[in-house]
Structures are given as C-alpha cells and as structure tokens.
Amino acid sequence: MTMLATIFCPEGGHFALALACALALMQGVLPLAGLRRTDSPLTALARPLALSQCLALLFAWTCLVTASLGNDFSLKLIAETSAINKPWAYKIAGLWGNHEGSLLLWVTLLSLWCAGLALLPGQSAARPEGLPLRLRARLLALLGLVGAGFQLFCLTTSNPFLRLWPVPADGMGMNPLLQDPGLAVHPPLLYSGYVGFAVPFAFAISALLDGRANALWARHMRPWVISAWALLTLGITLGSWWSYSVLGWGGYWFWDPVENAALIPWLTGTALLHSVLVVEKRNLLHVWCLLLAIATFAFSLSGTFLVRSGILNSVHAFANDPARGLFILGLLGLYGGGSLLLFAIRAPALPTPQAGFSPLSRESALLLNNILLCTLCAVVLTGTLYPPFMQLLFGRTLSVGKPFFDATTIPLTLPLLAVMGVSMALPWRQTRADRLLPRLAPALLITAGNILPAFWLFPTPLAALSALLALWVISAALCDLILRLRGLPEGSRQLHRLPRSLWAASLAHVGVGVTILGLCGMAGSQERLIEARPGTHATLTGRDWELTALTAHHGPNYEVVEAHLTIRHHDAHGPVLTELTPEIRLFPRQGQRTLHVAILHRPLEDLYAALGSVKEERDPQGQSHYSAILRLHENPLASWIWLGGIVMALGGGLHLLPSRRRPKPVEGELRSCR
Amino acid sequence: MRLAVTLLLLLLVSPTCLAVDTPDEMLSDPALERKAQQIGQQLRCLVCQNESIEESSAPLARDLRHAVRQQLQQGHTAKEIRAWMVQRYGEFIRLRPAFSPATALLWLMPLLSLMVALLLACRFWYRPAPPPAPLTPEERRTLDSLLKKD
Amino acid sequence: MPLTRRHLLAALPSLGAAGLGLGFIRMLHGLDRGQFDPRAINTPLTGQPVPEFPALSSLPGQAGLTREDFRTMTQPVLLSVWASWCLPCVEEIPFISQLAASLAAPRKKRDAPLALWGLCYKDQPASASRWLERAGQPFTRLGLDQDGQAAIEWGVTGVPEAFLIMPDPQVGGRIVWHGTGGLTEAVYQTRVVPHLEAAP
C-alpha cells in the first residue's frame, strides 16, 4: 500500500496538474470560440471544463498531501520543507509555506472560484435575476486563460512534484517560524482574497470587450467583489495578528514591502466595493469602476509575485530566483498590461452618461471615499517602490519605513473617517443640509460628548483625534440603523425588515471604527524590559509581574524553555490576575529558535510577555543560577485591531447571504434608479 | 537539569533577529530613554533590514542603540545624532527619508495625487444632470426583479 | 477617431504600468548579474578622507592600526574587515593569502605597490590568530576592534568588507572604493585594480 502510494502519488499529482493546465487552456479558448456565434455547443463547455479543472487540481492536492503525510522524501518539495518528526498538521499546512506549494494553492483557489461561478444557478425563466449564461461562459473563459498561464508557470519553473534522487532518509524540516497555527491559515485566506479579485477583473474585461458596462453588470459583479474583499480583509487581519503574536515585540504592522503588497489591492478593492454601488444605483462612474477592477487584480498579481522575484527588500520574501521573476513579469505584462491596453483602447468609446453629482449626496460621499482611498494607495505604492527605483535610476540607496508611512497615511485616513460617518446618512441623488443635520445629530452629540474623555484617555492628541473620528464612524453607523428602523411604517418596525445590505454596510463601518480605536489604544502601550531570576517582581502600570520559575521540556520536534509568570493586581500581595508562560522553542534540526509570546487578551487591554533569552551564572559555590530576559507589555485595546478586521469581513459575509423576500420595498432610494 | 541541557542547545543555535534584548542598556532617566527610543525607531537596522535598531537584536543594532544613548547623555540633539548616523551609514539608515530633491516626489505624492484626483472628480460635481443611459427592456426587467428581491 | 482628453486619460494607466514593467525588467536583469541588490547600502565614505577612529592594538608581534598610519602611508592600502566567526571570511582566506603572496613578491609591475591591512571585527584574539595562521599572516598591519567602535566610525555594516585607501597628504588618506561581501579575484581585478592603475 505504502509502496503503491509512493509510486502513484507524485506522478498522479503531476499528471493531474498537467491535465488541469490543458483543461484550463480549453476552458479559456473553446467558449470564446463558441461565443463568436449565437448558438454554439462550445459555449456550454465552459461549465463542465471549469468543474473538471477544479477536480483535477483538488486531486493534485490530495496526492501532494498523501505524499507529505507518508513522508515521501523523493519529492523535492517535501524533502526540503518537511521532516519525519514534524507534527502532521504542519505536514499539510507546510505545503503552502514555500514558493512551489503556494503557487499550486494559488491556481487551485482560482479554480475553486471558477467552480463557484460555474455552480451558481445561471439566468433562466424561473430566475431572471441570475447571471446570463453567455456572460458566465465568457467570464469562465477569461478566468481559464488566467489559470492556464499560472499553471504553465507552475509546471515549467516551479513544479511541486519534482523528484529527488537519491531519496534522503529524512527531510530538512520547515522554517520553524512558519510552524504556527496562524500562519497555516493565513496564506489560504489571503490568497483566496487575492485570487478572488480575478472574478471582478474578468467582469471588467468582458465589459470592455462588449463595450457595455451598466447598472446590471455592476449588480452581477458586486457579490464577487464583496466576497474577495472580505477574504482579503480576513487574510490581512490574520497576518497582522500573526506578527503581533509571533515576532515578539508587540508590533502588528511593519510597513514591510510584502505587507504593503497586500494592503495596496485591499485599498483599491475597498474603493471598487464602493464605486460599484454608484454604478449600480446611479449608473455613473463605469469607466472608473472598470479601471479599479483591473487595477485591483493587477496589484494582487504584482503583490503575490513580485515578492518572489527578489526585487523588494523584505523579510517575508520567498527564496528568490530572478529567472522565475522574469516569467512572472511576463505573465504580469500579459494579464495586467494587456488588460490596461485594452482599457486604453476601449474605455474612451464606452457610452458615458453626462450626469452630475449634487455635492450633498451619497454618490458624492462615495466619490470622496474613492479619491481618498486611491490617494492612500498611491502613497503606499510610491513608498514601496521608491527605494528600488531610486537605486535603479540614480544608484542611491535610501529607506522608506514606518515613520514615513505613519506621517503620510494618517492625515489621509482622518478625513476618510469623517466622510464615512456622513455617507451612511446621505441619500442617493441629493438632499438638503437642513434634512441631513437632524440625521447626523445623535452621532455628532455622542462624539462631541466624548471629546474630553478621549483627550484624557489617549496618550497623544493625534490618537485622541483618531479615536474620536472612529467613535464618530461607529455611532453614525449605529444611529443610522436606528433612524431607518424608526422610519419604517408603524407596526413593522422589526430589525429584519431593514435591507440586508444596510446591515452589512453598517457592520463593516463599525468594524473599521473598532480597528481604528484599537490602533489608537496601541499608541499608549507600555512596556518594560527586565532581567529577572525566579522570584523577581516587576511593576508595570499598577500590576505586579512575578517570574516564578524557569523550566524546560520536549516538544514534538523542538525543545522548549519556559518562563512562568504570575501577574497580580496592585502589588505583590494582590489577587492573582493570570499566569503567562512565554517560551523559546529550539529547533535543533534547523539550528533556529523561535519566540512564543504569551498573551492574555482582555476586553480593554492585552497583557503580553516575551522571553528573550535565559542566562546561566555560577556562584562561587558552583551553584547554577538562571536568569531570564523578559519583555513585558501592556497593550490597551490591542485585540480590537483584529476584532475590527473580523467584523469588517463579517459585514461582507452578511451581504452575501441570500436575502429573504421582503413584504414590500421599503426605501424610496432603492426605487430611485428606475 | 533539563534546563541546563536545553540551554546548552540554545548556545549552539544561531542567533536570529529576535526582538528581546538586555535591559541594562536602557537609560535610567525615563524621559531620556523615551527620547532614545523615538530616535532609534527612526533608524534602520543595517543587519536585520526590516527592523529599526530599537527592535533588532543584531550586535550592530545594539552598538548603535548604545551610541544613541551615549550621545543623548552628552547632550546631543536628535538632529545631531541622526546626522552622525547618516555620516557613517548614509541616507539608508533613515527610515523616514529627509526631504531633498531626491525624495521630493515621495513626500509630495500624497498632495499631488490628492490634487489630481480632486481635479478629475471636479467634473462630476459641476456637470448638469441629463437623463441616464437607457437599459434594454430585457435588462430592465431583470433589474426590476432583482430590486424587488433585494 | 479623434483623440480626445478621454483617450489620453485612458492611456495613462497603461503608460504607468509600462514604465514600472521596464523598471522591473532592468532590476531583474541587474539581480541576475549582481549589479542590483535591494539590500545594498551606499557608504557615504567613498571619496571621503579616512574617518577618525580610536587607535587599535594588534596581536603580539604585529603592528597595530591608528588614524596616524593613514597620514603617513606612501602607497595605496587595501583594508580588509573580517572576523574569524564569519563564514564568508573563512571562504575568503585562499584569495587573501594569494594576494598577500603576490604583493610580497611582485611579478608584474602593477601588482605593487599595494599594502594589505586588516581590521578584525569583534573577535577573540586567540581565534583571530588561528585565522591569520591559516591565511599565512597576510596583513602588514592589523587592528583588533574588539568592541566594534572603530568599525562604526568606518560605517561597517557586516563582515567581510573592504576599503581601498589612496595616499593623500592633505587629508591623510582618502577612501576611493568600498566593497561589501568577500574579496575575490574577480572583485579585485574589476573593482580594485582600475583604481590602482588610474593612480599616478
């Protein structure tokens, strides 16, 4: 049985990947050929081809996972990243912690999105609101072309099924830093977000080919934008939480080029999410929306792939290989450059409605949101690419880091928050200031009432101002919900009668506010660095931290040194609050160590301890004494940062739930576009 | 006993860029120490290049942290300390690049792109509102049924 | 079809993308040939006088290194910064000893005059002297920088590094070239020799 698996799994997986590539190419070419005529059986092939391509890739994964669980070190990928004594969960998760595996994950997720698109019921007599079948065939074909290119890349330069001879007795083991539950889930989430933006991209290309983009097109595209955005939000949130809980100095965002590479498509994706609404409700801004859809996917591609080229100076980079970089750049040029060229040729000819905006209208607020988000995006992009381009063009080396990004992005985020609060209360088309003000009054009162507490609670005026604006966003979103509920006809004032999209938007806005509050809280984090022998007490913000013991034990594939800390309220005699055990893990095989931070998440603060190193000293009697270097933090509102991210993603998820039939349309604004 | 064995192993393991370092290097004056941290956070570690010298535990970062504190105690200003660093390691060490002809585009980017975007968007606010582009009857039916369901 | 402002605006994104793409191609090309390194640090010291640094003692029986030595130097100096604990420095040994041998017994005119000096960074004297034995005592002057303070003045960011210093009576020695990474025959021939030949 094992023998059979050893022979079959690698080759079976390799074959499945090659088959999937061929299927993707067919999925890309055949339906497009069929669409040239009115009624061709080729068009109908898109769906079965997409499904079978997805099955082939899932089969390839099954083979890879079986081989990894069975310690088949004849596979180069497994020999280089796995080892016999690695915990089984990481034998699976470790597969996407490297270039080849993560690329296979990328193409598989793309095929899953395709399968989702193929399985969703299309337009029929019973479901006139479904996706038109011809549009779906074209979308699947375009996605097939994207998939085929990257599967070809996978097969030719980064094949995860390459064999090794002679077969080593044991693998080299994984980078210990990656042996962490957060990091096992982070890439799939982040990648599904990145890849998910391929669907809006296909919508945009299809619209350019058709020469038509209208409200209906936007309506069909919106759920795909929202789902990709929600997944990307979750992925970034998880990545940030990982660096907070693993890297050991309490930082959550480093403005590293690779982090920026994820933030850039998130910013344009968020802008797309909002501009799609304007296209749908007001039939305006199509061209802009098309460009955003293309740009978001192009940035996703550059984000996932420039990381692998070695151009950017980053800690997170994969093993770099300029030859691969060139192939990637070719693909980027083909998909990103090709579609921008198509945009340059076709977009000017798109019919544009000559309608204007009233300054006091929701579309106007959404336009402002887009302007600010895209400016933020331009700043992050420039900051990320400035150093390599300065070096290339002028031979000068310089750095653009956290202090620069803090100084430039915060002033742009604050007006964005201010607009966010107003936007929910604004109706489409236009309103008058005397109607708007009463709607905003409750939120304004709440925010104004908290000015003094904010400046008292938060350490810097900037943090206090940001926190106030975050509060403004949250209270405006919630007050708007309440006001709309009161606007419902008497007798039907139930929460579920409000449109789900309204709920979703409010929830997402509350999430943004919560994250910003968390960031402001973190500005006041307190830390202490101590060198302590067991029995030593240290005080931090009115609590007593005692190092009770230092111990060591075995882990599955590592050795552990643990510091046992007891934290008490007030002083050394106060009631015990909690115990924390930060540890150092040693991975002898890789000759590396990792920190494992101990964190107590409380609603209003995180208690955070990291063990830096342990020293041995001998006294004159030859007795050994151990002392530990510990970093203790108190991080106010830290968990709010990630809680907000989850709430944002939940907002997106809520939007996607199939909506219940409402008894009758409620809001006048929904009818206004007819 | 196990602790001793594991600690021996610890010595064999290569030191990496771990963020926790010895406390004895910190200044006793909390205000001065905070100032030192603020300066250090703006200086890039030249070994672990994705951290500031305040976060990195590379030996060179430790030396530079020490240099920052020593000079602060001698009464040097933040500006002087930065200049001292740049004189030795170049502009590369500044995580917040100085404004110069070379970085003008970088620093002006927020203003520049905001102005361009506002200029482009102006058209929308100043345009009269003629009727929107018509949908085909089929699309209209679909949209209607969608909106009813929504 | 008349070209309108819309055409120009719509073409802008692809023009921008093309510019970025061209840049990326050049960078990848440079990476391939070792001309582009995103982690590279330009030393501001190139072209500058030798910095002031604390006087360094040496191993027993060898001349130490002080700022004064650069004021009195008469021939170009190649200063190698190394440590016995650094793997690339151990890999550098064969070239260093070969260079030292050829400088001691010049066969061609251009081989001399050049002096090879060493700066040993944060090292134990015992292990440093073992390294020197393996390399065949290549340095005519050697400074032991045990606390790394002199290296900070020189702007050293890691080992191995090398500086080429030309005699300049006015400022007392001027740095004309600085290299990070180990010295090899290729680096010596392409980077160091041209400076030596250009010198009067």
Side-chain angles (χ1 to χ4, degrees), chain C residues 35-100:
Chain C
Q35 293 162 343
F36 177 84
D37 174 16
R39 304 179 68 83
I41 305 165
N42 283 1
T43 326
L45 283 169
T46 314
Q48 298 293 318
V50 170
E52 299 295 329
F53 63 96
L56 298 174
S57 64
S58 182
L59 290 168
Q62 235 183 339
L65 193 64
T66 63
R67 177 66 182 85
E68 201 46 40
D69 297 331
F70 291 96
R71 294 207 172 89
T72 54
M73 66 195 257
T74 51
Q75 54 185 8
V77 167
L78 188 60
L79 179 73
S80 164
V81 186
W82 60 278
S84 66
W85 44 262
C86 119
L87 197 64
C89 302
V90 177
E91 288 166 1
E92 206 184 8
I93 288 181
F95 175 72
I96 293 271
S97 44
Q98 178 207 324
L99 181 66

Side-chain angles (χ1 to χ4, degrees), chain B residues 42-64:
Chain B
Q42 307 223 342
L43 297 174
R44 185 175 195 169
C45 173
L46 302 149
V47 182
C48 306
Q49 292 189 356
N50 293 81
E51 291 174 306
S52 71
I53 61 166
E54 215 43 52
E55 292 139 15
S56 169
S57 56
L60 181 62
R62 194 176 304 150
D63 288 349
L64 294 182

Side-chain angles (χ1 to χ4, degrees), chain A residues 397 399, chain B residues 35-46 52-54 59-72 76-96, chain C residues 41-45 51 149 151-157:
Chain A
T397 54
S399 306
Chain B
K35 201 169 169 196
Q37 282 176 12
Q38 273 168 8
I39 297 171
Q41 276 160 7
Q42 307 223 342
L43 297 174
R44 185 175 195 169
C45 173
L46 302 149
S52 71
I53 61 166
E54 215 43 52
L60 181 62
R62 194 176 304 150
D63 288 349
L64 294 182
R65 274 200 297 270
H66 184 69
V68 169
R69 283 162 176 77
Q70 213 174 20
Q71 293 187 27
L72 267 181
H76 290 282
T77 63
K79 206 175 162 187
E80 284 165 356
I81 296 174
R82 271 201 300 274
W84 187 88
M85 293 282 173
V86 169
Q87 195 195 343
R88 279 153 188 78
Y89 300 102
E91 280 294 320
F92 189 85
I93 200 167
R94 295 190 64 172
L95 278 171
R96 180 189 173 129
Chain C
I41 305 165
N42 283 1
T43 326
L45 283 169
Q149 290 306 306
I152 290 185
E153 302 298 336
W154 282 86
V156 170
T157 58

Side-chain angles (χ1 to χ4, degrees), chain A residues 189-252:
Chain A
L189 275 177
L190 189 70
Y191 281 19
S192 30
Y194 273 149
V195 174
F197 279 112
V199 184
F201 169 78
F203 267 100
I205 299 297
S206 163
L208 283 174
L209 291 174
D210 264 347
R212 272 173 69 79
N214 53 30
L216 193 61
W217 168 84
R219 179 68 184 85
H220 285 311
M221 178 163 91
R222 185 170 52 145
W224 299 97
V225 177
I226 292 175
S227 42
W229 175 86
L231 286 166
L232 189 60
T233 308
L234 270 186
I236 294 176
T237 305
L238 198 64
S240 152
W241 180 76
W242 174 80
S243 55
Y244 174 73
S245 60
V246 168
L247 295 182
W249 56 273
Y252 48 88

Side-chain angles (χ1 to χ4, degrees), chain A residues 40-194:
Chain A
S40 163
L42 287 179
T43 315
L45 274 177
R47 200 173 171 214
L49 278 172
L51 292 176
S52 43
Q53 184 215 350
C54 181
L55 284 179
L57 283 172
L58 288 178
F59 182 75
W61 266 107
T62 317
C63 290
L64 199 58
V65 167
T66 316
S68 178
L69 288 177
N71 293 321
D72 185 350
F73 298 121
S74 74
L75 277 178
K76 192 160 167 273
L77 171 75
I78 293 171
E80 279 172 1
T81 60
S82 187
I84 292 171
N85 67 354
K86 191 160 96 166
W88 69 269
Y90 294 111
K91 282 185 180 165
I92 300 175
L95 287 173
W96 52 72
N98 53 72
H99 169 73
E100 288 84 359
S102 62
L103 196 61
L104 187 64
L105 181 71
W106 201 95
V107 291
T108 311
L109 287 169
L110 180 62
S111 79
L112 279 170
W113 281 99
C114 285
L117 194 62
L119 286 175
L120 218 68
Q123 194 175 36
S124 62
R127 282 178 53 90
E129 78 278 13
L131 197 58
L133 297 179
R134 288 175 64 83
L135 176 59
R136 187 170 74 183
R138 177 180 265 160
L139 294 177
L140 283 174
L142 291 168
L143 291 172
L145 285 178
V146 174
F150 282 99
Q151 286 171 32
L152 209 60
F153 176 49
C154 201
L155 276 172
T156 48
T157 65
S158 330
N159 194 333
F161 294 103
L162 281 189
R163 298 277 206 155
L164 205 59
W165 187 263
V167 178
D170 196 356
M172 290 192 270
M174 184 190 198
N175 180 355
L177 208 56
L178 303 180
Q179 191 165 321
D180 180 272
L183 215 61
V185 200
H186 168 62
L189 275 177
L190 189 70
Y191 281 19
S192 30
Y194 273 149

Side-chain angles (χ1 to χ4, degrees), chain A residues 181-472:
Chain A
L183 215 61
V185 200
H186 168 62
L189 275 177
L190 189 70
Y191 281 19
S192 30
Y194 273 149
V195 174
F197 279 112
V199 184
F201 169 78
F203 267 100
I205 299 297
S206 163
L208 283 174
L209 291 174
D210 264 347
R212 272 173 69 79
N214 53 30
L216 193 61
W217 168 84
R219 179 68 184 85
H220 285 311
M221 178 163 91
R222 185 170 52 145
W224 299 97
V225 177
I226 292 175
S227 42
W229 175 86
L231 286 166
L232 189 60
T233 308
L234 270 186
I236 294 176
T237 305
L238 198 64
S240 152
W241 180 76
W242 174 80
S243 55
Y244 174 73
S245 60
V246 168
L247 295 182
W249 56 273
Y252 48 88
W253 190 264
F254 298 78
W255 293 104
D256 177 272
V258 170
E259 292 169 350
N260 293 350
L263 186 64
I264 291 168
W266 186 85
L267 288 170
T268 52
T270 313
L272 175 64
L273 186 76
H274 291 91
S275 66
V276 133
L277 289 173
V278 183
V279 182
E280 188 181 333
K281 299 287 201 267
R282 290 292 325 275
N283 217 2
L284 288 168
L285 291 186
H286 318 86
V287 177
W288 175 237
C289 190
L290 282 173
L291 182 61
L292 275 181
I294 294 173
T296 306
F297 184 59
F299 284 138
S300 300
L301 281 187
S302 353
T304 13
F305 294 111
L306 279 180
V307 176
R308 297 152 198 261
S309 65
I311 288 174
L312 300 173
N313 182 352
S314 162
V315 262
H316 304 280
F318 287 89
N320 298 323
D321 178 356
R324 272 178 196 159
L326 215 58
F327 199 122
I328 291 165
L329 205 58
L331 285 175
L332 254 175
L334 184 67
Y335 297 124
S339 47
L340 284 176
L341 212 59
L342 184 68
F343 177 84
I345 297 166
R346 300 299 282 269
L350 282 177
T352 41
Q354 290 296 309
F357 283 12
S358 149
L360 268 188
S361 65
R362 181 173 284 190
E363 50 270 42
S364 179
L366 290 176
L367 187 63
L368 257 180
N369 143 307
N370 264 244
I371 290 170
L372 289 165
L373 281 171
C374 289
T375 307
L376 272 173
C377 175
V379 170
V380 178
L381 188 69
T382 317
T384 311
L385 292 181
Y386 213 73
F389 272 90
M390 275 310 270
Q391 200 188 342
L392 180 77
L393 297 175
F394 306 106
R396 295 178 65 145
T397 54
L398 55 85
S399 306
V400 178
K402 190 169 162 35
F404 168 82
F405 287 109
D406 283 348
T408 47
T409 54
I410 294 175
L412 288 169
T413 312
L414 298 183
L416 187 62
L417 293 174
V419 176
M420 267 174 82
V422 186
S423 69
M424 293 291 286
L426 280 168
W428 295 101
R429 289 185 177 269
Q430 62 182 356
T431 186
R432 293 204 315 265
D434 57 332
R435 287 206 193 147
L436 179 66
L437 275 176
R439 299 209 67 157
L440 291 174
L444 273 174
L445 280 178
I446 293 175
T447 313
N450 280 295
I451 289 178
L452 282 179
F455 277 90
W456 182 65
L457 281 171
F458 287 93
T460 61
L462 184 65
L465 183 65
S466 316
L468 277 174
L469 281 167
L471 185 70
W472 157 245

Side-chain angles (χ1 to χ4, degrees), chain A residues 568-654:
Chain A
R568 293 189 178 84
H569 290 289
H570 318 306
D571 55 28
H573 309 291
V576 173
L577 171 66
T578 186
E579 288 181 355
L580 291 178
T581 25
E583 54 187 62
I584 301 176
R585 291 188 185 171
L586 299 166
F587 292 77
R589 176 172 286 273
Q590 292 87 3
Q592 281 191 35
R593 54 177 144 174
T594 63
L595 292 182
H596 275 248
V597 175
I599 307 172
L600 174 73
H601 294 289
R602 307 183 78 211
L604 290 181
E605 85 248 283
D606 274 10
L607 300 180
Y608 180 108
L611 173 61
S613 62
V614 178
K615 281 198 289 199
E616 183 182 7
E617 281 165 52
R618 282 181 193 279
D619 61 14
Q621 284 82 44
Q623 280 275 313
S624 289
H625 292 284
Y626 297 102
S627 63
I629 289 176
L630 290 160
R631 191 182 268 264
L632 314 174
H633 288 250
E634 195 194 75
N635 296 331
L637 305 186
S639 42
W640 290 35
I641 299 176
W642 306 287
L643 181 73
I646 294 170
V647 172
M648 273 186 249
L650 276 181
L654 186 66

